[in-house]
Structure formats: structure tokens, C-alpha cells
Amino acid sequence: MMDRVFYTKGHGTSNDFVILPDPDGELELTPALVAALCDRRRGIGGDGVLRVVRAAKHPSSVELAADAEWFMDYWNSDGSIAEMCGNGVRVFARYLVENGLATPGPAGLPVATRAGIMHAVVQGDIISVRMTTPRVYAASTATVGALTVPGIAVDCGNPHLVCGLHDGVALGGLDLTTAPVVDKALFGAGVNVEFVEPAGDLEGRDRHVTMRVHERGSGETMSCGTGALAVGAVALREAGLTSGSVAVDVLGGRLVITCDDEGAWWLAGPAVLVASGEVDVAALAL
Ligand SMILES: N[C@@H](CCC[C@H](N)C(=O)O)C(=O)O
């Protein structure tokens, strides 16, 4: 059993992560340890954990090692594993670059995830990630208290349900302290649920919306990159556009989703590292 573990804390639009450097895949990471690290009172606090491990050293990424040196081993704060985390990739890329572990090339910095390889481009404070193409695939609903809202299921490597609010329902009034009720047959592995309302016109953007999200495995968070991608895909589709850019305001700031003329989907926003230190693993259990 490890006694002490090094960590860095970082966030992207306040979606916050405990980053664990583990280049050779030696950490005994368990759901209980992840949940203890993410505990906001007894641990460091975070919406999830990003383990930084060489792709060649982790069974989930060994096949991607020829094309990406590093694997983002992402865990939700409840100790469950997810395929992908958009803000996580942005923060992960910031960590690699600031620690001299990688240098972005002309095609960006490849990061292996359980949903495949993403490419991150660093431009000062902003980190953009080329994401997988979002797949809009079904109509469904989400129920919050007495309110049932129609939604559209979108696969972004991980599952999402995008629900547009209508009829004067205020986004700020939703109680997301518990998970929205969804169709368990459609979302057998759980789902991240985004609630969206239109925001005012914004110069340079085709659409501008405000979003709140209840994340599978983490509860309501201040931001979700794959959630913003799902929302951006639905917004462009509803506008009849095959390319364009959508500003998605979240509780923690602004993300921008772009589908370029080549059909590539991008997630952009700030990503920062705020602290580093050592955790006493035994004390986490007390
Ligand atoms: N916040 C993330 C998504 C993290 C994973 C999600 N909770 C899931 O279980 O699919 C993002 O920025 O995309």
C-alpha cells in the first residue's frame, strides 16, 4: 500500500480534477481511493481524477501507444470510470506541457482516452481539443421533480441527454441536487444530462446558450466539456447548420464548440493548474 501520493489540482471552467502522475502505471488506484481524494471535506476535492500514465503502461490504452505517449485514465468522483472527459483532456494537456512531459506538434498534442485519441492545441490560456464527432441518436426525456423535459441523446464517446427548456421554465430554478430520472433502458450505463436555455446573440458565434449539467458519477458540476459538445451539436442541428460555432455558458465560465468546414469538432476554453503537493493516503481513510 502506498503511503504518500503526489498530486496536482487543476480545473477547466471550474470542472475540477485531482491529477495523479503515475508514468509507469504503478499506483494502486481504487474506486475508494478516488472517492476519498475527490471528497471536498476530507480529501482534496474534485469532480474527478486524471491519472497521468504512459499509454504503453495501461491495459486500456496499450493499443494506442504508437500514436499517443500519454493516457488520461479518467475516474468520476464517485469512483466510477468514464470513457471520456472533455475538460479533463484540456487540463491533462496543460499538465503535460507545464511539466515538460510533452510538446504539442503541428497537429496538436495526442492524448489517449477510453474513447480514442484526442488532439489538444495550446494557445496561451485557451486549450482546444479536437473531439470525436458527436452522434445524435434518439429522443428521450429527463424528469426533475414534477417537470419532464424532452431531450435528445448524443454520444460523445460518453453518453449525454440534451434537454432544451421551454414554456418559461427557468434554468436557474432546477434542483439538480439529485440525478434527473431518465429512461434506464436507453441509458443502461447511466447518462450525463444537460439542461439548456437560449442566451442573447453573441458576435462571431452562430448560437449562444446557457447550460447546467448533472454528470453521471459526479453530480451537478460547474462545467462539462463533452456536455457542451453534445449541446453544441444539437444547437447547430436545430439551426440547420452543418458547420459553425456555439458559445456554451456554464456555471464556471464559457466553452466554445466549433464544427469546422472539414467537419472536425472542437472544444475550447481555459484550463489551469492551481496547486501541487503530497497526499497522506492513510489519513484519507480516517
Ligand atoms: N466533465 C467531463 C465529463 C466526465 C465524465 C462523465 N461524468 C461521465 O461519466 O461520462 C467533461 O468535461 O466532459
Side-chain angles (χ1 to χ4, degrees), residues 15 17 74 76 81-88 158-159 192 215-218 221 223-227:
N15 195 187
F17 308 103
Y74 175 83
N76 286 317
I81 284 173
E83 304 86 340
M84 177 47 192
C85 176
N87 288 326
N158 59 349
N192 303 285
E215 286 196 39
R216 175 181 69 166
S218 301
T221 60
S223 176
C224 177
T226 48

Side-chain angles (χ1 to χ4, degrees), residues 140-160:
S140 193
T141 59
T143 300
V144 178
L147 180 74
T148 295
V149 189
I152 300 177
V154 186
D155 182 356
C156 295
N158 59 349
H160 292 269

Side-chain angles (χ1 to χ4, degrees), residues 177-188:
T177 50
T178 54
V181 178
V182 296
D183 178 354
K184 287 203 170 71
L186 185 62
F187 302 112

